[in-house]
Amino acid sequence: DTGVSQDPRHKITKRGQNVTFRCDPISEHNRLYWYRQTLGQGPEFLTYFQNEAQLEKSRLLSDRFSAERPKGSFSTLEIQRTEQGDSAMYLCASSLGQGRRMNTEAFFGQGTRLTVV
Amino acid sequence: AQSVAQPEDQVNVAEGNPLTVKCTYSVSGNPYLFWYVQYPNRGLQFLLKYITGDNLVKGSYGFEAEFNKSQTSFHLKKPSALVSDSALYFCAVRDPSGNTPLVFGKGTRLSVIA
């Protein structure tokens, strides 16, 4: 499978614990995005990388959230001191972009469903 | 800031009938517009996009969408619905003037009834 892969698919954690999710984008894609989706809502943008540079972060991304893409390939999203409100599906997507062109579609992984109890 | 509205939470259509899922957008300048579909417990799958050119865009699985600048709309259509088209559909917009991410609507659940 050469699509976007995310690990784990499901995570149940106790409130206050830290969790880390991994995303492996399509290999030649230089852009990587993290979104969060709650029930009945569309995906909400969290953050975006071009290669290893984190170019934009949403105001939704509190200081408990951190994302990295150290070598411009896979990315991790860490949530520290999880809260029940963090329960959601976390989606990763990647795309191939050239310069400032943003007209290419993003391909999404199947997501990591986080449940904070 | 760009935004997308999907005015219908749910659309029901009989199999074999044409379907339309509505989307309107707000963005400064000319938009990039996208439709995605989401099946249960799956990620989003790209259906089609409008960047420039012909207002009628054809995509995967027989879907098409029409860009209407005067009405700021990008409705998704299919001439003949299949039961397997039942899913959650998302419209998304991107402002091409900067490094902005895709902004999604809340989604429309399509149910095709046999």
Side-chain angles (χ1 to χ4, degrees), chain B residues 13-96:
Chain B
V13 64
E15 187 176 30
N17 282 3
L19 69 88
T20 299
V21 182
K22 295 180 180 177
C23 170
T24 58
Y25 66 88
S26 174
V27 69
S28 58
N30 295 318
Y32 293 158
L33 293 159
F34 302 79
W35 274 102
Y36 284 81
V37 60
Q38 187 175 35
Y39 297 99
N41 299 315
R42 301 290 298 274
L44 279 72
Q45 295 179 29
F46 168 75
L47 278 179
L48 50 81
K49 66 180 179 182
Y50 171 81
I51 303 300
T52 187
D54 287 342
N55 290 340
L56 185 64
V57 177
K58 293 188 183 297
S60 307
Y61 312 120
F63 284 93
E64 58 189 28
E66 185 167 13
F67 171 62
N68 188 317
K69 188 172 183 178
S70 64
Q71 297 185 1
T72 61
S73 68
F74 189 57
H75 301 331
L76 181 70
K77 299 181 180 184
K78 187 173 182 180
S80 179
L82 300 172
V83 172
S84 58
D85 293 330
S86 299
L88 198 52
Y89 289 81
F90 292 97
C91 183
V93 67
R94 175 181 282 150
D95 184 339

XYZ file of all heavy atoms in Angstrom, chain B residues 13-96:
669
model
N -31.784 10.066 -1.605
C -32.145 9.947 -3.017
C -32.363 8.474 -3.336
O -31.728 7.589 -2.749
C -31.048 10.580 -3.907
C -29.741 9.811 -3.768
C -31.477 10.641 -5.349
N -33.273 8.217 -4.247
C -33.527 6.850 -4.673
C -32.473 6.401 -5.676
O -31.986 7.209 -6.492
C -34.920 6.742 -5.292
N -32.131 5.140 -5.611
C -31.142 4.590 -6.548
C -31.604 4.815 -7.978
O -32.776 4.619 -8.305
C -30.945 3.098 -6.280
C -29.814 2.475 -7.087
C -29.576 1.018 -6.723
O -30.541 0.344 -6.328
O -28.417 0.562 -6.827
N -30.682 5.246 -8.819
C -30.998 5.506 -10.216
C -31.396 6.947 -10.495
O -31.359 7.391 -11.645
N -31.754 7.678 -9.441
C -32.107 9.087 -9.617
C -30.858 9.959 -9.583
O -29.838 9.567 -9.001
C -33.073 9.534 -8.523
C -34.486 9.068 -8.775
O -34.750 8.359 -9.751
N -35.404 9.459 -7.899
N -30.944 11.155 -10.168
C -29.798 12.063 -10.070
C -29.660 12.604 -8.650
O -30.644 12.723 -7.925
C -30.155 13.196 -11.039
C -31.637 13.126 -11.185
C -32.025 11.699 -10.998
N -28.416 12.893 -8.282
C -28.186 13.444 -6.956
C -27.414 14.758 -7.054
O -26.632 14.961 -7.987
C -27.427 12.455 -6.072
C -25.973 12.140 -6.394
C -25.002 13.132 -5.723
C -25.619 10.729 -5.941
N -27.674 15.626 -6.093
C -26.930 16.880 -5.961
C -26.611 17.093 -4.495
O -27.493 16.980 -3.641
C -27.750 18.081 -6.477
O -28.036 17.904 -7.857
C -26.957 19.380 -6.283
N -25.359 17.393 -4.207
C -24.926 17.772 -2.858
C -24.396 19.199 -2.977
O -23.470 19.463 -3.736
C -23.851 16.824 -2.322
C -23.472 17.218 -0.901
C -24.328 15.381 -2.363
N -24.965 20.092 -2.182
C -24.707 21.517 -2.366
C -23.511 22.007 -1.561
O -23.242 21.525 -0.451
C -25.944 22.327 -1.981
C -27.138 22.051 -2.888
C -28.337 22.870 -2.463
C -29.527 22.590 -3.368
N -30.733 23.322 -2.950
N -22.829 23.011 -2.136
C -21.687 23.632 -1.463
C -21.592 25.074 -1.927
O -21.661 25.347 -3.128
C -20.404 22.885 -1.815
S -18.879 23.710 -1.277
N -21.462 25.993 -0.985
C -21.141 27.377 -1.322
C -19.884 27.763 -0.560
O -19.575 27.201 0.489
C -22.287 28.345 -0.974
O -22.575 28.235 0.427
C -23.529 28.031 -1.775
N -19.166 28.719 -1.102
C -17.870 29.061 -0.519
C -17.733 30.562 -0.370
O -18.458 31.345 -0.988
C -16.738 28.517 -1.401
C -16.673 29.185 -2.752
C -15.928 30.343 -2.952
C -17.394 28.665 -3.827
C -15.906 30.976 -4.178
C -17.378 29.293 -5.063
C -16.632 30.446 -5.234
O -16.611 31.069 -6.452
N -16.767 30.940 0.440
C -16.410 32.343 0.588
C -14.894 32.433 0.622
O -14.250 31.800 1.479
C -17.005 32.919 1.881
O -16.542 34.232 2.101
N -14.328 33.169 -0.332
C -12.872 33.330 -0.388
C -12.576 34.580 -1.184
O -13.329 34.945 -2.083
C -12.221 32.078 -1.024
C -12.557 31.968 -2.494
C -10.716 32.077 -0.814
N -11.506 35.225 -0.843
C -11.107 36.380 -1.637
C -10.388 35.876 -2.869
O -9.552 34.988 -2.799
C -10.190 37.288 -0.821
O -9.059 36.583 -0.389
N -10.732 36.411 -4.004
C -10.089 35.976 -5.229
C -10.686 34.693 -5.773
O -11.760 34.245 -5.372
N -9.977 34.084 -6.699
C -10.458 32.846 -7.328
C -10.095 31.652 -6.461
O -8.942 31.477 -6.092
C -9.833 32.703 -8.716
C -10.296 33.808 -9.651
O -11.465 34.162 -9.656
N -9.372 34.370 -10.412
N -11.074 30.821 -6.171
C -10.821 29.726 -5.232
C -10.282 28.476 -5.899
O -10.473 28.259 -7.098
C -12.213 29.446 -4.677
C -13.107 29.710 -5.857
C -12.468 30.854 -6.608
N -9.632 27.650 -5.093
C -9.417 26.245 -5.434
C -10.470 25.469 -4.653
O -10.587 25.624 -3.431
C -8.019 25.782 -5.024
C -6.876 26.419 -5.779
C -5.598 26.444 -5.227
C -7.044 26.981 -7.040
C -4.528 27.011 -5.904
C -5.978 27.555 -7.724
C -4.724 27.571 -7.149
O -3.668 28.141 -7.817
N -11.221 24.613 -5.329
C -12.337 23.910 -4.703
C -12.177 22.409 -4.867
O -11.746 21.934 -5.916
C -13.652 24.360 -5.336
C -14.027 25.816 -5.056
C -15.009 26.333 -6.083
C -14.597 25.955 -3.647
N -12.562 21.672 -3.845
C -12.357 20.227 -3.811
C -13.596 19.546 -3.229
O -14.305 20.116 -2.390
C -11.151 19.871 -2.908
C -9.851 20.503 -3.313
C -9.578 21.823 -3.012
C -8.897 19.763 -3.987
C -8.371 22.417 -3.375
C -7.683 20.349 -4.357
C -7.425 21.668 -4.056
N -13.828 18.299 -3.670
C -14.798 17.425 -3.027
C -14.081 16.150 -2.591
O -13.292 15.573 -3.343
C -15.937 17.053 -3.975
C -17.052 18.047 -4.016
C -17.287 18.990 -4.973
C -18.104 18.185 -3.055
N -18.400 19.714 -4.660
C -18.934 19.243 -3.497
C -18.435 17.527 -1.868
C -20.071 19.653 -2.792
C -19.553 17.933 -1.173
C -20.372 18.982 -1.635
N -14.421 15.736 -1.359
C -13.924 14.492 -0.808
C -15.103 13.660 -0.323
O -16.147 14.200 0.060
C -12.988 14.757 0.384
C -11.612 15.242 0.024
C -11.383 16.582 -0.278
C -10.534 14.371 -0.020
C -10.111 17.030 -0.610
C -9.255 14.808 -0.344
C -9.060 16.138 -0.634
O -7.797 16.578 -0.966
N -14.906 12.335 -0.269
C -15.910 11.427 0.257
C -15.282 10.623 1.397
O -14.092 10.297 1.354
C -16.463 10.491 -0.837
C -15.377 9.628 -1.457
C -17.581 9.604 -0.292
N -16.091 10.348 2.407
C -15.613 9.569 3.554
C -16.584 8.431 3.833
O -17.762 8.662 4.119
C -15.465 10.457 4.790
C -14.813 9.776 5.979
C -14.582 10.720 7.142
O -15.376 11.617 7.387
N -13.475 10.540 7.851
N -16.061 7.203 3.758
C -16.829 6.033 4.117
C -16.591 5.717 5.586
O -15.586 6.154 6.155
C -16.459 4.862 3.210
C -16.787 5.118 1.761
C -15.810 5.539 0.863
C -18.088 4.977 1.284
C -16.113 5.806 -0.459
C -18.402 5.235 -0.038
C -17.409 5.649 -0.896
O -17.721 5.922 -2.206
N -17.475 4.951 6.233
C -17.336 4.687 7.667
C -15.957 4.157 8.044
O -15.430 3.269 7.371
C -18.431 3.653 7.931
C -19.459 3.928 6.893
C -18.694 4.357 5.667
N -15.385 4.744 9.075
C -14.089 4.318 9.611
C -12.969 4.387 8.573
O -12.001 3.632 8.642
C -14.174 2.899 10.183
C -15.161 2.811 11.321
O -15.183 3.670 12.199
N -16.020 1.815 11.288
N -13.120 5.272 7.637
C -12.083 5.453 6.619
C -11.662 6.911 6.560
O -12.368 7.812 6.999
C -12.625 5.028 5.240
C -13.094 3.601 5.164
C -11.948 2.624 5.249
N -11.008 2.762 4.158
C -11.149 2.158 2.985
N -12.174 1.401 2.749
N -10.234 2.336 2.049
N -10.516 7.143 5.975
C -10.078 8.512 5.740
C -10.836 9.114 4.571
O -11.695 8.477 3.961
N -10.521 10.350 4.264
C -11.174 11.040 3.162
C -10.547 10.633 1.830
O -9.328 10.521 1.724
C -11.044 12.555 3.328
C -12.035 13.221 4.278
C -11.729 12.886 5.714
C -12.021 14.730 4.075
N -11.400 10.427 0.842
C -10.918 10.099 -0.498
C -11.226 11.259 -1.440
O -12.351 11.759 -1.460
C -11.591 8.838 -1.020
C -11.261 7.581 -0.241
C -11.989 6.383 -0.807
O -12.279 6.322 -1.995
N -12.286 5.421 0.039
N -10.249 11.654 -2.205
C -10.401 12.751 -3.153
C -11.333 12.337 -4.296
O -11.198 11.252 -4.863
C -9.024 13.126 -3.693
C -9.047 14.044 -4.868
C -9.337 15.389 -4.717
C -8.764 13.574 -6.143
C -9.341 16.249 -5.807
C -8.769 14.421 -7.240
C -9.057 15.755 -7.077
N -12.276 13.212 -4.633
C -13.188 12.960 -5.750
C -12.854 13.813 -6.969
O -12.751 13.300 -8.083
C -14.632 13.273 -5.337
C -15.406 12.217 -4.557
C -16.798 12.741 -4.235
C -15.476 10.904 -5.320
N -12.746 15.125 -6.760
C -12.483 16.028 -7.878
C -12.089 17.402 -7.351
O -12.248 17.690 -6.169
C -13.713 16.148 -8.801
C -15.064 16.448 -8.160
C -15.234 17.919 -7.854
C -16.197 15.989 -9.079
N -11.573 18.222 -8.273
C -11.175 19.575 -7.902
C -11.420 20.535 -9.055
O -11.421 20.139 -10.231
C -9.698 19.616 -7.507
C -8.741 19.322 -8.659
C -7.280 19.375 -8.193
C -6.325 19.061 -9.351
N -4.905 19.051 -8.913
N -11.609 21.789 -8.691
C -11.650 22.885 -9.657
C -10.506 23.829 -9.325
O -10.411 24.326 -8.194
C -12.974 23.641 -9.599
C -12.938 24.892 -10.436
C -13.140 24.832 -11.809
C -12.624 26.131 -9.877
C -13.053 25.975 -12.588
C -12.542 27.275 -10.641
C -12.753 27.187 -12.005
O -12.648 28.316 -12.776
N -9.672 24.059 -10.328
C -8.577 25.010 -10.159
C -8.798 26.192 -11.107
O -8.783 27.352 -10.713
C -7.213 24.348 -10.411
C -7.030 23.151 -9.464
C -6.082 25.360 -10.250
C -7.077 23.486 -8.002
N -8.968 25.873 -12.371
C -9.213 26.882 -13.377
C -9.759 26.179 -14.609
O -9.792 24.960 -14.668
C -7.924 27.653 -13.709
O -8.233 28.746 -14.584
C -6.903 26.757 -14.398
N -10.245 26.945 -15.577
C -10.696 26.329 -16.813
C -12.183 26.062 -16.829
O -12.979 26.844 -16.301
N -12.570 24.931 -17.405
C -13.979 24.595 -17.559
C -14.688 24.581 -16.214
O -14.171 24.029 -15.236
C -14.140 23.222 -18.214
C -13.798 23.253 -19.684
O -13.771 24.365 -20.250
O -13.552 22.184 -20.257
N -15.890 25.143 -16.224
C -16.638 25.195 -14.964
C -17.163 23.827 -14.549
O -17.435 23.604 -13.369
C -17.805 26.174 -15.086
C -17.320 27.610 -15.162
O -16.189 27.913 -14.768
N -18.167 28.490 -15.658
N -17.339 22.929 -15.491
C -17.812 21.588 -15.178
C -16.597 20.665 -15.049
O -15.838 20.483 -15.991
C -18.761 21.082 -16.260
C -19.414 19.727 -15.977
C -20.315 19.815 -14.744
C -20.206 19.249 -17.183
N -16.454 20.097 -13.863
C -15.309 19.247 -13.571
C -15.803 17.812 -13.383
O -16.773 17.581 -12.658
C -14.614 19.718 -12.282
C -13.456 18.800 -11.937
C -14.135 21.150 -12.424
N -15.131 16.881 -14.022
C -15.496 15.475 -13.862
C -14.483 14.797 -12.939
O -13.273 15.103 -12.987
C -15.544 14.784 -15.215
C -16.670 15.307 -16.098
C -16.827 14.495 -17.364
C -17.913 15.088 -18.261
N -19.251 15.050 -17.626
N -14.990 13.866 -12.113
C -14.114 13.215 -11.154
C -14.324 11.718 -11.108
O -14.833 11.111 -12.055
N -13.964 11.153 -9.970
C -14.025 9.707 -9.793
C -15.456 9.223 -9.635
O -16.339 9.993 -9.216
C -13.225 9.309 -8.543
O -11.919 9.810 -8.581
N -15.686 7.965 -9.952
C -16.940 7.249 -9.702
C -18.145 7.911 -10.361
O -19.268 7.767 -9.889
C -17.199 7.123 -8.191
C -16.017 6.629 -7.397
C -15.461 7.408 -6.388
C -15.429 5.405 -7.667
C -14.362 6.980 -5.667
C -14.329 4.957 -6.955
C -13.801 5.750 -5.949
O -12.706 5.323 -5.243
N -17.933 8.629 -11.459
C -19.028 9.237 -12.189
C -19.521 10.553 -11.630
O -20.510 11.101 -12.113
N -18.850 11.063 -10.617
C -19.237 12.355 -10.045
C -18.711 13.517 -10.884
O -17.677 13.415 -11.537
C -18.717 12.501 -8.608
C -19.501 11.710 -7.609
C -19.113 10.425 -7.259
C -20.636 12.245 -7.022
C -19.836 9.688 -6.343
C -21.367 11.523 -6.104
C -20.962 10.240 -5.767
N -19.433 14.619 -10.810
C -19.005 15.854 -11.439
C -19.457 17.022 -10.574
O -20.314 16.862 -9.686
C -19.574 15.987 -12.856
C -21.086 15.950 -12.937
C -21.588 15.866 -14.378
O -20.871 15.326 -15.246
O -22.703 16.343 -14.610
N -18.850 18.169 -10.801
C -19.228 19.351 -10.036
C -19.148 20.557 -10.946
O -18.306 20.619 -11.843
C -18.328 19.533 -8.822
N -20.020 21.513 -10.672
C -20.069 22.712 -11.496
C -19.690 23.931 -10.678
O -20.325 24.236 -9.661
C -21.449 22.902 -12.103
C -21.510 24.080 -13.078
C -22.778 24.083 -13.916
O -23.711 23.326 -13.575
O -22.833 24.849 -14.888
N -18.670 24.625 -11.121
C -18.235 25.861 -10.478
C -19.079 27.015 -11.008
O -19.164 27.212 -12.227
C -16.758 26.107 -10.769
C -16.258 27.458 -10.325
C -16.276 27.816 -8.987
C -15.761 28.364 -11.248
C -15.800 29.054 -8.578
C -15.285 29.611 -10.847
C -15.308 29.947 -9.515
N -19.696 27.742 -10.104
C -20.504 28.890 -10.480
C -20.008 30.094 -9.693
O -20.296 30.236 -8.508
C -21.992 28.630 -10.190
C -22.890 29.722 -10.736
O -22.588 30.906 -10.615
N -23.989 29.327 -11.360
N -19.250 30.948 -10.378
C -18.620 32.063 -9.674
C -19.636 33.077 -9.173
O -19.503 33.608 -8.066
C -17.598 32.749 -10.590
C -16.754 33.781 -9.887
C -15.639 34.294 -10.780
C -14.764 35.272 -10.019
N -13.631 35.746 -10.847
N -20.655 33.351 -9.968
C -21.631 34.368 -9.568
C -22.435 33.942 -8.346
O -22.825 34.772 -7.530
C -22.567 34.687 -10.734
O -23.328 33.536 -11.078
N -22.657 32.645 -8.220
C -23.390 32.134 -7.057
C -22.448 31.600 -5.985
O -22.938 31.088 -4.972
C -24.373 31.043 -7.487
C -25.451 31.542 -8.446
C -26.485 30.488 -8.778
O -26.422 29.366 -8.291
N -27.442 30.849 -9.613
N -21.176 31.702 -6.189
C -20.136 31.165 -5.287
C -20.506 29.751 -4.845
O -20.520 29.424 -3.647
C -19.902 32.068 -4.057
O -21.110 32.174 -3.279
C -19.430 33.434 -4.475
N -20.802 28.901 -5.823
C -21.215 27.539 -5.512
C -20.350 26.532 -6.258
O -19.744 26.846 -7.302
C -22.685 27.326 -5.852
O -22.886 27.377 -7.252
N -20.343 25.333 -5.723
C -19.596 24.216 -6.333
C -20.337 22.944 -5.968
O -19.882 22.114 -5.192
C -18.153 24.221 -5.804
C -17.230 23.266 -6.517
C -17.038 23.333 -7.893
C -16.507 22.325 -5.803
C -16.174 22.470 -8.548
C -15.632 21.460 -6.434
C -15.470 21.535 -7.812
N -21.506 22.752 -6.544
C -22.366 21.627 -6.200
C -21.870 20.346 -6.841
O -21.477 20.327 -8.013
C -23.801 21.887 -6.649
C -24.423 23.108 -6.049
N -24.061 23.595 -4.800
C -25.382 23.952 -6.526
C -24.777 24.674 -4.525
N -25.580 24.922 -5.560
N -21.937 19.274 -6.085
C -21.537 17.944 -6.552
C -22.758 17.241 -7.142
O -23.840 17.272 -6.542
C -20.980 17.130 -5.379
C -20.488 15.722 -5.679
C -19.195 15.771 -6.501
C -20.254 14.953 -4.388
N -22.543 16.587 -8.279
C -23.676 15.956 -8.956
C -23.287 14.586 -9.495
O -22.107 14.309 -9.750
C -24.166 16.839 -10.116
C -24.650 18.209 -9.685
C -25.149 19.032 -10.854
C -25.623 20.395 -10.365
N -26.215 21.211 -11.446
N -24.321 13.774 -9.671
C -24.148 12.491 -10.348
C -25.463 12.163 -11.033
O -26.522 12.281 -10.420
C -23.761 11.398 -9.358
C -23.403 10.076 -10.015
C -22.865 9.073 -9.012
C -22.468 7.789 -9.715
N -21.942 6.773 -8.766
N -25.430 11.764 -12.299
C -26.671 11.547 -13.049
C -27.527 10.412 -12.508
O -28.752 10.481 -12.574
C -26.187 11.240 -14.468
C -24.789 11.739 -14.527
C -24.239 11.614 -13.136
N -26.889 9.366 -11.973
C -27.629 8.193 -11.540
C -26.972 7.633 -10.278
O -25.873 7.094 -10.330
C -27.638 7.138 -12.651
O -28.325 5.977 -12.236
N -27.658 7.762 -9.162
C -27.062 7.385 -7.872
C -27.055 5.866 -7.683
O -27.968 5.147 -8.132
C -27.839 8.043 -6.739
N -26.012 5.400 -6.983
C -25.883 3.998 -6.608
C -25.961 3.882 -5.084
O -25.553 4.803 -4.365
C -24.537 3.437 -7.076
C -24.254 3.463 -8.569
C -22.810 3.044 -8.837
C -25.226 2.568 -9.325
N -26.429 2.738 -4.619
C -26.461 2.514 -3.163
C -25.064 2.676 -2.567
O -24.890 3.203 -1.467
C -27.054 1.131 -2.846
C -26.909 0.811 -1.360
C -28.527 1.067 -3.257
N -24.062 2.246 -3.314
C -22.676 2.330 -2.842
C -22.155 3.766 -2.750
O -21.072 3.991 -2.210
C -21.760 1.513 -3.756
O -21.854 1.981 -5.089
N -22.909 4.727 -3.260
C -22.520 6.138 -3.113
C -22.853 6.673 -1.724
O -22.441 7.792 -1.376
C -23.238 7.008 -4.153
C -22.790 6.730 -5.575
O -21.620 6.341 -5.762
O -23.618 6.882 -6.490
N -23.587 5.929 -0.954
C -23.962 6.366 0.397
C -22.712 6.570 1.236
O -21.915 5.645 1.425
C -24.875 5.329 1.059
O -26.067 5.169 0.327
N -22.528 7.778 1.709
C -21.306 8.137 2.443
C -21.438 9.582 2.906
O -22.466 10.229 2.697
C -20.077 7.981 1.556
N -20.355 10.075 3.516
C -20.288 11.462 3.968
C -19.450 12.247 2.953
O -18.341 11.819 2.598
C -19.632 11.492 5.339
C -19.772 12.703 6.236
C -21.210 13.112 6.406
C -19.148 12.405 7.588
N -19.969 13.351 2.484
C -19.300 14.132 1.450
C -18.899 15.491 2.003
O -19.698 16.183 2.643
C -20.220 14.307 0.236
C -20.397 13.014 -0.517
C -21.306 12.046 -0.075
C -19.633 12.732 -1.648
C -21.449 10.842 -0.741
C -19.768 11.529 -2.325
C -20.678 10.593 -1.857
O -20.813 9.393 -2.509
N -17.645 15.857 1.709
C -17.106 17.121 2.197
C -16.652 17.986 1.037
O -15.919 17.532 0.155
C -15.908 16.895 3.124
C -16.253 16.247 4.428
C -16.109 14.888 4.597
C -16.734 17.009 5.479
C -16.423 14.285 5.803
C -17.050 16.418 6.695
C -16.897 15.045 6.845
N -17.061 19.238 1.075
C -16.562 20.253 0.165
C -15.439 21.008 0.876
O -15.494 21.202 2.106
C -17.706 21.204 -0.183
S -17.308 22.491 -1.359
N -14.423 21.420 0.137
C -13.308 22.138 0.752
C -12.834 23.237 -0.186
O -12.949 23.120 -1.413
C -12.156 21.183 1.063
N -12.303 24.283 0.391
C -11.835 25.427 -0.377
C -10.435 25.817 0.086
O -10.070 25.618 1.244
C -12.794 26.631 -0.232
C -12.787 27.176 1.209
C -12.450 27.743 -1.217
N -9.678 26.331 -0.847
C -8.359 26.873 -0.499
C -8.193 28.201 -1.211
O -8.507 28.321 -2.400
C -7.267 25.901 -0.910
C -5.853 26.419 -0.706
C -4.847 25.405 -1.165
N -4.684 24.338 -0.196
C -4.360 23.087 -0.527
N -4.194 22.754 -1.780
N -4.197 22.182 0.401
N -7.718 29.188 -0.483
C -7.399 30.478 -1.067
C -6.031 30.365 -1.729
O -5.040 30.093 -1.046
C -7.385 31.538 0.031
C -7.144 32.940 -0.503
O -6.599 33.082 -1.623
O -7.481 33.898 0.203
N -5.944 30.523 -3.039
C -4.661 30.323 -3.713
C -3.658 31.440 -3.507
O -2.521 31.335 -3.956
C -5.066 30.237 -5.189
C -6.311 31.047 -5.275
C -7.029 30.843 -3.967
